[in-house]
Amino acid sequence: MDQLNSDTINRKPLMQPQHQKFHLDGVKHISPVEAFNLLIEDKAILVDVRDEKEYEVERVSLDNIRYYPMTEIMDNLEHLPNDILLITMDTIGERGTKVANVLNMQQFSQVANMDGGISQWRADNLPTEDILPGECGGCSGCC
């Protein structure tokens, strides 16, 4: 029950993140590229846990995204399915890891944090929608 569905992910999820420093034991991580592939195949749902200001500036431009800020996740557990992989995402991976840990404790059976958050997603040249001009594209502290 704690394992990610092998039909969903062809390789074992990362037990230690590669693109972020923060980690909690028991939380699995998935690369942004793997997450993107699963999302476009409708085999996962992305749970964006950033705050509203971050979300308004830059977001992942796909259909199967749920936006629940970290501060509101407990109030929205009933809106999250338990029969598909939930991939948590924040800016750099720390809040996503914490929310993935909470979802694990709440008995969600398929959960992974997106390693490196939207910052790594952007670094991997995956599609985003943003309102800022230039190369930055978001509020991740690069400007």
Side-chain angles (χ1 to χ4, degrees):
M1 185 162 155
D2 176 54
Q3 298 296 318
L4 294 174
N5 184 335
S6 61
D7 293 335
T8 302
I9 297 181
N10 293 329
R11 70 173 184 84
K12 196 171 187 176
L14 302 170
M15 294 311 288
Q16 294 287 327
Q18 306 297 306
H19 302 286
Q20 67 185 59
K21 294 178 182 178
F22 187 79
H23 173 68
L24 292 172
D25 288 340
V27 173
K28 296 171 181 72
H29 301 272
I30 186 170
S31 74
V33 172
E34 264 187 286
F36 176 74
N37 289 331
L38 292 169
L39 291 165
I40 61 173
E41 294 170 4
D42 291 326
K43 293 183 177 178
I45 291 175
L46 184 67
V47 182
D48 188 336
V49 302
R50 297 172 302 146
D51 68 35
E52 186 175 356
K53 289 179 184 176
E54 292 171 295
Y55 179 79
E56 287 175 359
V57 171
E58 178 182 39
R59 68 195 85 164
V60 171
S61 54
L62 295 172
D63 293 332
N64 42 347
I65 312 290
R66 305 277 173 91
Y67 171 66
Y68 300 121
M70 181 178 176
T71 56
E72 298 173 16
I73 198 71
M74 292 303 290
D75 296 332
N76 289 289
L77 293 176
E78 65 195 46
H79 303 291
L80 295 173
N82 200 7
D83 60 348
I84 190 168
L85 174 62
L86 299 176
I87 302 170
T88 59
M89 181 197 75
D90 69 346
T91 302
I92 59 170
E94 184 172 332
R95 288 171 288 168
T97 298
K98 291 175 182 179
V99 171
N101 190 48
V102 166
L103 294 174
N104 285 338
M105 289 189 292
Q106 294 296 317
Q107 305 303 308
F108 283 85
S109 59
Q110 299 181 68
V111 180
N113 171 61
M114 186 192 307
D115 186 14
I118 199 167
S119 295
Q120 187 60 45
W121 177 280
R122 188 180 335 101
D124 289 341
N125 295 312
L126 296 168
T128 61
E129 181 181 323
D130 63 67
I131 63 167
L132 293 180
E135 293 190 20
C136 180
C139 290
S140 60
C142 63
C143 331

